[in-house]
Amino acid sequence: DSWYTFTGIGVGLQAQQNERIGSKLLFGFKVGAGYRLTECTSVELFMQHMSNANTAPENNSYAFYGLSFAYNF
């Protein structure tokens, strides 16, 4: 079957703190689906969310939506 789904969670740091998210420390999750075109290539549609998980007064999170092309070595 060439269709697949994926999910992940992680922790990261902003290079520079800003007013939108009042902390350099960020938590995030990513979900998506993809289609394997060949053994080495695939196309993926994803959504990624990042916020400070309410560890600071300001927490206007970021949401990213995207389409990507992947090549696996």
Side-chain angles (χ1 to χ4, degrees):
D1 195 331
S2 295
W3 289 99
Y4 60 92
T5 59
F6 59 90
T7 187
I9 60 171
V11 177
L13 293 173
Q14 292 191 89
Q16 186 174 15
Q17 186 171 324
N18 62 43
E19 294 177 7
R20 183 174 175 86
I21 297 181
S23 170
K24 284 189 174 186
L25 181 64
L26 298 177
F27 301 89
F29 70 87
K30 184 176 183 178
V31 295
Y35 184 78
R36 191 165 287 107
L37 300 170
T38 68
E39 187 176 314
C40 295
T41 60
S42 59
V43 176
E44 298 178 342
L45 185 62
F46 66 89
M47 190 285 291
Q48 184 172 5
H49 170 85
M50 299 199 80
S51 74
N52 67 25
N54 292 321
T55 59
E58 289 296 321
N59 188 25
N60 298 305
S61 62
Y62 292 109
F64 304 95
Y65 303 92
L67 178 66
S68 64
F69 175 80
Y71 183 85
N72 296 305
F73 296 92

